[in-house]
Amino acid sequence: MRHFEPEDRKLAGDAPDRVMLSRLWSALGGKPEIADTVELAGEGSLASVFAVSDFAAAAIGAAGLALAEWTAARTGSVPEAHVDRRLASLWFSFSIAPQGWDLPAVWDAIAGDYPAADGWIRLHTNAAAHRAAALSVLGAAPEDGLNRAAVAARVAGWRADELEAAVVAAGGCAAAMRGLDQWAGHPQGRAVMAEPLMRMDLGGGARAFASGFDAARPLAGIRVLDLTRVLAGPVATRFLAGFGADVLRIDPPGWDEGAIIPEVTPGKRCARLNLKQAGDRERFTALLKDADVLVHGYRADALEALGLGAEVRRGLNPGLIDVSLNAYGWTGPWANRRGFDSLVQMSGGIAEAGMVRSGAERPVPLPVQALDHGAGYLMAAAAVRGLTMRHFHATGSRWRTSLARVGAFLAGFEQGPVADPIGKPVPADYSADVEQTAWGPALRLRPAVRLEGAAMAWDRPAAGLGTSAPEW
């Protein structure tokens, strides 16, 4: 196991985005001198108490650096990478603009923040099972049709931490709002801060890559098995698909993510398997044996419960580059807790800091789901760094990060008032090409990262889940 200790290369006058990029790249084990080959350009910032736009540019820059390093490994020449700060910020929200149709609703009707008896709590109810769990704790059934006012009245009678514990125990998702200091003293907060931003373990012997390499599509021929959910993992695999990887996403029967699907599936084939059934699990293991990269975002114990734990995966494919995300970290009492970006912002002090520093009366989260997006690009960078390591050392690798650890990283970079705020996308931010998605025509933001000699582009438009066969 290796922890890549970030080098503090900050010099007087260094911009926050460059400091962040240096630290992210170091956390990935990258050589410091390569970090200077990426250009971070542009002005403006998203309004936030933390430096979200700097983080967006740095995280996407780290993924671009990993691609540049991989290209250099195959060609002997390091291509320049360029990151547009405005576009990076916009990619941390929605990249798709439907033309003549509307995206489904992003949030369930009762999802959101509620005042409890002693503070605030967030209920995450987008999944039917999570909604049912929350309502059962509140003394209602899903068919009761409670509106937000009725839910708020029931939440008001609970202490925030007690309701959080009850919802989680029922199989749901909730987070009481804590301050940064409270989180730092919480058993899970302490566990998370003791973890590296990215942990890497070496795998077994790996087969050599094919001799051919197309610098214009640097990930062509790389097979990526995508076992991810909202939102970080799909962001990672969308990036990999954008540079040519063959991404096969696997979802269970009946799973849906609403507006997120057209946002994150360009370039991917999407199939369904029920990994609780022996036949489908056997099919999955066959796919895994032929994969170069596995990206997954299940809870820490979920694959183990299916008989597909880390050692099993390594045994099936010793050269696999295994990249995973957990919500609340890999150690501590909450390591197996369900979580999402908005919940981690509440638990980890980010939403409370926004409320206090803006003088608001309710939680103020980041303007975008920056933990998800930032973690996604960090995961993409890890996957590509894994390819480079496999090329030079003929070994697989396992990489792990968490939303909570990424949140702690971002919370170390405060931001003052913004003189040049980045607003909503304008027509010039979009590519002129129309993407014929499964839902209708759409425009997609222009890529935030450019790699000399290569362009981010997707070989197929966004498509619905379960529209392809589970095969390479």
Side-chain angles (χ1 to χ4, degrees):
M1 179 269 290
R2 295 179 65 185
H3 292 182
F4 297 116
E5 298 298 337
E7 296 182 15
D8 191 351
R9 303 176 64 229
K10 184 175 181 179
L11 302 175
D14 274 2
D17 54 3
R18 294 227 66 94
V19 175
M20 285 184 168
L21 175 59
S22 176
R23 293 181 181 176
L24 291 175
W25 187 239
S26 184
L28 290 159
K31 295 180 180 179
E33 59 270 20
I34 298 180
D36 296 330
T37 66
V38 65
E39 178 191 30
L40 306 179
E43 302 294 333
S45 294
L46 293 171
S48 173
V49 297
F50 298 108
V52 172
S53 288
D54 292 301
F55 183 46
I60 293 177
L65 275 175
L67 275 174
E69 180 189 46
W70 165 243
T71 299
R74 302 303 301 271
T75 67
S77 177
V78 182
E80 293 182 355
H82 306 267
V83 176
D84 184 295
R85 178 185 180 87
R86 174 180 171 82
L87 289 170
S89 301
L90 296 177
W91 272 93
F92 264 45
S93 185
F94 273 83
S95 68
I96 191 171
Q99 303 296 292
W101 57 282
D102 295 318
L103 289 169
V106 175
W107 294 103
D108 174 70
I110 64 170
D113 301 333
Y114 293 89
D118 62 341
W120 286 85
I121 187 168
R122 183 172 184 83
L123 303 179
H124 198 292
T125 57
N126 280 7
H130 299 164
R131 188 177 198 270
L135 291 179
S136 70
V137 170
L138 294 171
E143 60 269 18
D144 288 349
L146 292 185
N147 58 26
R148 291 187 65 86
V151 171
R154 300 192 183 201
V155 170
W158 285 78
R159 286 177 51 88
D161 58 348
E162 291 177 355
L163 180 55
E164 173 192 76
V167 171
V168 169
C173 298
M177 186 177 74
R178 294 172 174 84
L180 290 170
D181 290 342
Q182 287 178 291
W183 182 241
H186 189 280
Q188 191 58 37
R190 292 197 303 269
V192 166
M193 288 309 300
E195 297 176 1
L197 182 57
M198 178 65 76
R199 171 174 169 165
M200 191 279 289
D201 301 284
L202 290 175
R207 59 183 180 272
F209 290 111
S211 57
F213 182 80
D214 181 3
R217 299 295 282 163
L219 298 181
I222 300 298
R223 289 177 169 177
V224 178
L225 195 54
D226 179 353
L227 208 62
T228 66
R229 303 288 178 267
V230 183
L231 176 62
V235 166
T237 52
R238 180 183 64 191
F239 180 89
L240 300 177
F243 285 93
D246 179 7
V247 176
L248 177 61
R249 173 170 167 155
I250 303 294
D251 289 282
W255 180 258
D256 191 20
E257 292 175 2
I260 301 301
I261 299 303
E263 170 65 18
V264 299
T265 59
K268 306 178 186 180
R269 291 179 297 113
C270 301
R272 293 193 188 274
L273 288 173
N274 184 349
L275 299 185
K276 295 180 180 179
Q277 295 183 355
D280 281 9
R281 193 162 56 250
E282 183 178 349
R283 180 65 196 140
F284 175 79
T285 59
L287 292 169
L288 185 64
K289 289 177 181 178
D290 290 332
D292 297 297
V293 177
L294 171 68
V295 183
H296 53 106
Y298 283 112
R299 298 191 315 278
D301 61 344
L303 288 181
E304 279 73 5
L306 293 169
L308 293 167
E311 293 307 314
V312 172
R313 300 193 299 271
R314 181 172 294 178
L316 290 168
N317 186 343
L320 183 69
I321 298 150
D322 189 319
V323 184
S324 55
L325 176 85
N326 206 20
Y328 282 104
W330 295 91
T331 59
W334 290 8
N336 295 325
R337 176 175 288 208
R338 296 175 178 87
F340 298 91
D341 181 305
S342 60
L343 298 181
V344 175
Q345 288 193 46
M346 288 286 279
S347 299
I350 290 175
E352 195 265 356
M355 181 179 78
V356 171
R357 296 175 196 175
S358 64
E361 296 182 351
R362 59 181 300 115
V364 177
L366 302 173
V368 293
Q369 291 185 264
L371 310 189
D372 263 331
H373 288 274
Y377 290 105
L378 189 63
M379 293 167 74
V384 181
R385 285 232 68 236
L387 294 175
T388 301
M389 293 175 64
R390 178 175 148 186
H391 173 73
F392 284 120
H393 306 296
T395 183
S397 52
R398 183 184 179 205
W399 305 75
R400 284 174 284 175
T401 189
S402 71
L403 294 179
R405 188 62 184 85
V406 168
F409 175 85
L410 176 57
F413 293 85
E414 296 183 6
Q415 176 175 271
V418 174
D420 184 14
I422 293 175
K424 295 181 179 180
V426 298
D429 294 318
Y430 292 96
S431 169
D433 298 329
V434 177
E435 182 180 333
Q436 298 295 338
T437 77
W439 299 265
L443 299 179
R444 188 78 59 174
L445 287 172
R446 292 187 291 114
V449 61
R450 292 183 294 107
L451 193 68
E452 181 185 7
M456 176 182 276
W458 291 273
D459 297 332
R460 51 179 58 84
L465 302 184
T467 53
S468 294
E471 60 189 24
W472 294 117

